[in-house]
Amino acid sequence: MAKQKLMNTRRRFRTGDNPDQLWLLPPSLADWLPANHPAFSWSALVDELDLSPIYATYGSKGQPPYDPRLMVKIWVYAYARGLRASRQVERACYDDMGFRVVSGNRQPDFWTLAAFRRRHREALGNLLIESIRLAAEAGLVRERDVAVDGTKVRAAASKHRAMSYARMTEREEALAAEVDQYLAEVEAADAADDAEHGENDRGWTAPPDLADAQKRLATIRAAKARVEAEARERAEAKQAERKTAAEAAGKPAPEPPKDPPTPDPKAQSNFTDPESRIMRNSDKAFIQGYNAQIAVDADTQIILAADVTNQAADSPHLLPMVDQVVANTSRRPIGVLADAGYWSESNHQGLQSRAMESIIPPEKLRHREWRAARAPRGRIPRN
């Protein structure tokens, strides 16, 4: 009786299929997910993209590769799901039902995924811009306000591998003196050996410590050259701005400075990643990294523009990001939202000249001040 009662109880549950059960009819991928699942939307979006630049790179020889449209669908859906590493994407093609539907139940190896992304990096970037335009045409971009913000990201380099220009000059002089001392000792040793053994014997070879000193000296001199080149570029840009301002005011162009520009003694260059810079992140900690900028539609949060620079300040990036939004969407937003770090008089005037409203606070309100100005929780301030 107890066994029969247990069997009747089990009939109330829906059991899963036996993993060893063979399917007599082929399954339909459309039945694996709900009809409103985002995977179908992303797949349909890629079907509307022009992939002819990618298809043109393939020939007729060799083993048949994966269809580029299938690979693009996998990567687009991976980006939408927040996956970046090719190994994570490969694993998702096995474990995630959405990836199985998007990939047509195919599981490319991680190295195949990575090679496809590297090989077609430029074309994929153009496709992202095309997807932004499709989103705008579909009405997903509201054409109203654009929000701009930035964040500091760490570079693949340590800030301890950076050196200031003044320190480079000191180390260059010290290493040059060290190399000269070694070379003098080498000459003296060679002269002594020649006097003892004759001049036809094998010459002296440089010791490892001399080679290291010469290598460090070459590295520092290359870093100094980069800092000096940046100083020249800044001076030329500043001179061009002065010339433009003088022409606008009807004045003669100013004479360029007679002395060549010299770098700031505190200007730094990193030996591991010369393009990165020391910046302060949101935690007020100094890191060796870059400044990543992003512009999104304020209503739908669709990414309209993105960029990565080595300039720590956010303010100089506002107008270029807005221009990139206009170029990507072929539409002009009404207003631009940003925090106080983007405020400047030139940015305000630049947005006005572009017929856009500036929604940027001119000063940053500290949290303590914000709390003091805010009504206590649960209370209504008295008049």
Side-chain angles (χ1 to χ4, degrees):
M1 292 292 295
K3 183 176 181 181
Q4 182 65 31
K5 185 177 181 180
L6 179 61
M7 293 295 294
N8 293 335
T9 304
R10 288 180 178 175
R11 291 172 185 168
R12 298 179 182 177
F13 300 97
R14 296 180 181 179
T15 60
D17 294 336
N18 186 349
D20 298 328
Q21 177 67 42
L22 299 178
W23 289 349
L24 301 180
L25 296 175
S28 173
L29 296 180
D31 296 336
W32 289 5
L33 296 173
N36 60 349
H37 196 277
F40 296 116
S41 300
W42 288 110
S43 179
L45 173 64
V46 176
D47 287 336
E48 298 299 323
L49 298 178
D50 181 15
L51 304 185
S52 55
I54 297 180
Y55 279 100
T57 62
Y58 289 88
S60 58
K61 298 181 180 179
Q63 293 293 331
Y66 285 104
D67 189 340
R69 190 169 298 277
L70 181 147
M71 300 293 287
V72 172
K73 287 184 178 182
I74 293 176
W75 272 118
V76 168
Y77 188 63
Y79 289 147
R81 293 288 302 275
L83 300 182
R84 300 294 183 268
S86 55
R87 287 177 174 83
Q88 294 177 345
V89 177
E90 177 193 359
R91 186 162 56 249
C93 288
Y94 286 97
D95 301 339
D96 192 291
M97 195 62 67
F99 276 92
R100 280 185 174 268
V101 171
V102 168
S103 66
N105 204 24
R106 297 288 183 179
Q107 294 81 30
D109 294 325
F110 72 91
W111 53 267
T112 303
L113 292 165
F116 180 86
R117 183 185 59 190
R118 286 194 296 265
R119 180 181 181 185
H120 306 292
R121 180 176 179 178
E122 183 178 356
L124 290 174
N126 295 332
L127 289 177
L128 292 177
I129 296 177
E130 185 178 350
S131 66
I132 294 174
R133 293 174 179 169
L134 286 175
E137 293 295 335
L140 297 178
V141 179
R142 302 293 176 83
E143 306 177 36
R144 292 175 54 192
D145 299 328
V146 170
V148 181
D149 202 359
T151 184
K152 305 302 189 295
V153 294
R154 292 183 180 273
S158 171
K159 64 181 179 181
H160 302 293
R161 292 292 297 165
M163 185 179 292
S164 66
Y165 184 78
R167 180 61 176 164
M168 289 180 198
T169 303
E170 296 177 2
R171 288 300 299 158
E172 180 185 19
E173 296 175 355
L175 289 173
E178 183 180 350
V179 171
D180 292 340
Q181 180 182 356
Y182 275 122
L183 292 178
E185 294 175 357
V186 168
E187 291 296 335
D190 281 345
D193 288 343
D194 290 343
E196 181 178 357
H197 304 290
E199 298 182 357
N200 295 327
D201 287 346
R202 174 176 294 180
W204 178 86
T205 58
D209 50 359
L210 176 57
D212 291 341
Q214 290 175 330
K215 184 177 179 180
R216 291 196 300 270
L217 180 60
T219 301
I220 289 177
R221 284 177 174 172
K224 279 188 63 181
R226 289 194 298 268
V227 175
E228 292 169 353
E230 292 174 0
R232 288 194 298 270
E233 292 175 359
R234 286 193 297 269
E236 293 173 357
K238 191 173 183 179
Q239 179 65 18
E241 292 178 0
R242 291 177 177 175
K243 182 178 179 181
T244 302
E247 292 176 352
K251 299 179 180 179
E255 294 291 335
K258 297 180 180 180
D259 298 330
T262 56
D264 186 346
K266 295 182 180 180
Q268 295 190 345
S269 179
N270 190 275
F271 300 139
T272 306
D273 187 354
E275 295 184 358
S276 63
R277 296 292 183 271
I278 292 181
M279 304 178 182
R280 190 168 66 173
N281 62 8
S282 58
D283 296 331
K284 310 302 180 183
F286 288 94
I287 64 171
Q288 188 78 31
Y290 294 91
N291 190 355
Q293 297 288 315
I294 189 172
V296 302
D297 184 274
D299 294 321
T300 62
Q301 301 300 302
I302 292 180
I303 299 175
L304 305 179
D307 198 6
V308 179
T309 73
N310 58 7
Q311 192 170 6
D314 287 331
S315 177
H317 301 100
L318 181 69
L319 297 180
M321 291 300 297
V322 171
D323 293 338
Q324 190 180 146
V325 169
V326 176
N328 291 345
T329 63
S330 300
R331 302 175 184 225
R332 189 177 303 276
I334 298 176
V336 176
L337 295 83
D339 58 34
Y342 290 88
W343 168 260
S344 70
E345 191 63 32
S346 60
N347 283 343
H348 180 69
Q349 296 177 357
L351 292 177
Q352 285 186 335
S353 65
R354 291 166 172 78
M356 301 178 190
E357 183 181 357
S358 173
I359 314 175
I360 307 173
E363 0 181 271
K364 183 177 181 180
L365 182 64
R366 296 181 179 274
H367 184 73
R368 184 183 304 172
E369 299 172 354
W370 175 78
R371 292 291 301 175
R374 192 166 177 260
R377 183 176 299 178
R379 300 180 184 177
I380 299 177
R382 297 179 180 178
N383 295 332

